[in-house]
Structures are given as C-alpha cells and as structure tokens.
Amino acid sequence: MTDPDLVTSTPVGGGAWRFPASEPLRLDSGGVIEGLEVAYQTYGQLNADRSNAVLICHALTMDQHVASPHPVTGKPGWWPRLVGPGKPLDPQRHFIICSNVIGGCMGSTGPASINPATGKPWALSFPVITIADMVRAQAMLVKALGVETLFAVVGGSMGGMQVQQWAVDYPERLASAVIIASASRHSAQNIAFHEVGRQAIMADPDWRGGAYADHGTRPEKGLAVARMAAHITYLSEPALQRKFGRELQRDGLSWGFDADFQVESYLRHQGASFVDRFDANSYLYITRAMDYFDIAASHGGVLASAFTRARHMRFCVLSFSSDWLYPTAENRHIVRALTAAGCRVAFVEIESDKGHDAFLLDEPVMDAALAGFLGSVERERGLA
C-alpha cells in the first residue's frame, strides 16, 4: 500500500506518481490496472534539451532507492558505487531515474496495495504481470516526467531483462542500453529455483492463501527460506569457500540442528533480514514474471528478430566468469543476437569469483567498462 504522503506532482527527487483512471496500465494477461501508482527516485536535473536522462532498472529484491538510504532498513542505496558525483552515473551530468517495478512492495502498485474495488489489499486477486508490463509502467512514468528519449537504460539481472524489453518495445525512445549479468529467458534451472521459493512461501501456514494481511499475519518463515535458497544462486562456490569454508560458529559441534557452520548462520541472517523489507506475495508475482520472460517468443523464437528495430542504438553487455545463475554463455547469446540484428554492441566478460552478485559488489573492471561505454555514447551524441 502506498503512503499517501509519498504521492507528489513534483517530478524531481522522487515520490509516487499516481496516474488518473483515464491512463490505465494494460497488461499482457488482458487485465487492466486503473489508478496506477509508480514509486520512484530521481537524482540530478534534466538538461535544457532533455537529452541526459538515464533509467536504472532494478533486480528482483531491489527497489527505487538506488543511491539513497532505504526508508525501511536505513541502509545505503544498493548501487552507490556507480551512482553519484564523479561516478559512471553522475547526477552532475545525468538525470537519473529509478522506479519500483509494478508488483513490487516499495510504493508501486502491487499485491499489497489497496484494490479500489474492494478497499482491501489485492493479494492474489492482483493480476499476473510480466517484464513487459513493468516496462510499460516505466515508460508511462518516464513520459510523465517530461522525458521523451532516454540517453541510456541500465540494469543488472532482472534489471537487464527490463533493459532488453525496453530495446524491443521502445527503441525509438532510447539511445543506448547496458545489460549486466542477465539472460534473454530463464533456463529450467532458474525456473526450478524460483518454484522452490514460491512453494516455501505458500507452504507457510501464515500465508493464508495469500490473504495474510486480512489475518494480521505474515509468512515470514516461508519467505525467509525462499530468500535463503535464492541467495545461494547469487554466490559462487569459490566465494562461499573463501568467506566461510567449513568454519564453525563456536567451539565444537552442537550435535543438533542449530547453525553449527558459519555459512548456515549467514543464510539464516539473510532470510531473517529480508522479511523486514519485502512482501511475500510480491516475491511470488515478480519471480513468476521473470519465469515468463522470453524476449524471442513473440518473434518466432528468433532473438535477433526481436532487436531489429534497435539498430540505431548502442549496446553494452557485461557478464561475470563465475556467474552460474546467468552465465556468460547466456549473455553471449544476447550479444550474438544483437550483432545479427545489425546493432552496435560491446561485450566484456569480467573475471570474478563473486558469482552473480558481482554486479552489486566492488568490481573496478565493471565500473570502468560502464564509464567508458557511457562516455563514448556521450561524446558521440555531443553531451560530453
């Protein structure tokens, strides 16, 4: 549910943009959301010709607070390494936009929002959404903020899926795109891990068929297990071994089922902290949207055909050598399709043992690659 105090008509700084009923969001499922709200943050200012706007698309468990303190946890934003003065995404040069995806739980319309038809949370009556629906809502917000053309759209993981969808659906509104540690569709293994997480949530007695808000409960145990299972996929075996190995929490074994090993304690902490800032039903809806994502499906199964309208754009694709969730082979598949479509694309595989989460961590090569690519596009477009 959106805090009414967040709703604002001021386009700079952030808040939640409420669209009138005359501007509904039409969904791939055939459903319609009226009174759509999109929560967002902005950094910097639009230049005189409105040519310096950058949209950042967030990953599954992130939100719009990319470079500002999180209002629930108080922690810094999730990408302060890349967003800030003197950094690749610089509010002194760029007008940076990041919005919470629809279906999310940080102010955008989602299953925890109030259904105006019932006066109660949507819960499972919320329509199933897709990555394309998320991008459609972002496009509505960007236009409402007075931006006709984005200098760049940037995202990692699920954010990279949104970037691809932007390039397919709105190429005329983009100059460049950066896809980081992503894929053009989910593998069977990706879908399987998500299903384990969803089943953990739905097996929690406090889930109450999705109507837990009506009962004053939350499926915290199920959501924590879902987070623990997913978090394993974000890391690599070398990273886990380096950080934890088989180190014990205390001297000696408990000879029971307490967290004997440090890695067990770490995963339990990840699960427990996650439930304080994320909604269980949002987790169901967003993971399902990721599983449904298949950028080539509506183009005869040919990925290159999906990108043919984006020939004027410039692309940068980045992957990490130890990422087994969205491995380099998946990212190379995107690169080959972009090349076959006639697009200009730069590709870098970054050597790292940090796994999928490397795009959120200290990776100087990634920072330099992003800065170099955006600087090149700026010079080409006369923005440097």
Side-chain angles (χ1 to χ4, degrees):
M1 179 179 177
T2 300
D3 182 345
D5 291 337
L6 289 175
V7 180
T8 177
S9 59
T10 304
V12 176
W17 197 284
R18 180 181 292 130
F19 290 87
S22 60
E23 295 183 61
L25 176 65
R26 302 192 182 279
L27 307 174
D28 285 347
S29 66
V32 174
I33 297 177
E34 296 182 351
L36 172 72
E37 293 185 27
V38 181
Y40 69 97
Q41 289 287 311
T42 65
Y43 309 86
Q45 299 283 339
L46 271 172
N47 59 10
D49 60 1
R50 299 174 180 264
S51 62
N52 67 332
V54 176
L55 176 70
I56 297 176
C57 301
H58 70 75
L60 165 60
T61 62
M62 304 303 169
D63 50 46
Q64 69 270 34
H65 300 285
V66 61
S68 49
H70 195 279
V72 175
T73 67
K75 294 181 178 180
W78 53 269
W79 237 6
R81 249 186 42 248
L82 297 178
V83 180
K87 298 177 182 178
L89 297 167
D90 189 341
Q92 295 176 344
R93 304 197 323 271
H94 306 126
F95 177 57
I96 301 162
I97 308 163
C98 187
S99 66
N100 187 213
V101 297
I102 60 162
C105 50
M106 282 303 298
S108 291
T109 302
S113 303
I114 298 299
N115 180 350
T118 65
K120 295 182 178 181
W122 282 91
L124 292 196
S125 64
F126 192 71
V128 172
I129 55 172
T130 65
I131 297 294
D133 294 330
M134 296 176 183
V135 167
R136 205 170 289 124
Q138 290 167 353
M140 292 170 64
L141 173 68
V142 168
K143 185 175 181 180
L145 294 177
V147 177
E148 292 296 329
T149 303
L150 288 164
F151 163 68
V153 57
V154 181
S157 193
M158 186 185 83
M161 295 178 177
Q162 295 164 63
V163 172
Q164 294 172 71
Q165 195 74 56
W166 263 96
V168 171
D169 290 350
Y170 301 101
E172 71 284 353
R173 296 178 63 179
L174 300 179
S176 65
V178 180
I179 303 163
I180 307 172
S182 194
S184 62
R185 65 177 183 176
H186 259 183
S187 67
Q189 179 176 256
N190 296 146
I191 296 170
F193 271 109
H194 275 175
E195 177 62 3
V196 169
R198 288 190 292 262
Q199 288 298 320
I201 291 169
M202 293 188 285
D204 189 321
D206 285 334
W207 184 59
R208 303 293 185 102
Y212 45 88
D214 292 343
H215 297 272
T217 63
R218 291 195 306 166
E220 294 182 354
K221 293 179 180 178
L223 181 58
V225 171
R227 173 63 169 176
M228 290 168 68
H231 199 72
I232 295 170
T233 72
Y234 304 152
L235 305 174
S236 67
E237 196 280 332
L240 283 169
Q241 188 63 31
R242 183 182 68 251
K243 291 179 69 173
F244 306 110
R246 289 180 54 85
E247 294 298 315
L248 298 175
Q249 278 289 94
R250 62 188 74 80
D251 292 337
L253 301 174
S254 71
W255 300 107
F257 299 100
D258 289 337
D260 279 349
F261 297 96
Q262 289 183 6
V263 68
E264 294 175 315
S265 178
Y266 170 75
L267 288 175
R268 292 185 186 191
H269 169 74
Q270 288 293 326
S273 60
F274 184 62
V275 302
D276 292 333
R277 67 176 180 86
F278 215 85
D279 176 65
N281 283 339
S282 282
Y283 195 88
L284 301 181
Y285 277 86
I286 297 174
T287 57
R288 179 52 95 196
M290 295 174 72
D291 291 344
Y292 280 176
F293 180 73
D294 184 350
I295 206 76
S298 59
H299 296 270
V302 180
L303 186 59
S305 298
F307 292 120
T308 54
R309 293 173 56 227
R311 291 192 182 104
H312 67 282
M313 292 175 55
R314 290 185 60 181
F315 290 84
C316 179
V317 180
L318 304 175
S319 72
F320 298 92
S321 59
S322 59
D323 185 350
W324 59 275
L325 183 63
Y326 299 127
T328 290
E330 295 282 355
N331 291 270
R332 285 188 186 277
H333 181 57
I334 298 170
V335 172
R336 286 194 295 269
L338 288 167
T339 302
C343 302
R344 291 183 293 169
V345 54
F347 171 68
V348 180
E349 180 189 30
I350 299 164
E351 288 293 326
S352 170
D353 71 351
K354 298 173 185 173
H356 181 64
D357 259 3
F359 82 97
L360 297 171
L361 304 174
D362 183 19
E363 287 290 350
V365 174
M366 184 186 93
D367 301 359
L370 180 60
F373 173 76
L374 293 177
S376 175
V377 178
E378 283 179 321
R379 289 189 294 273
E380 183 176 281
R381 298 180 65 83
L383 297 176

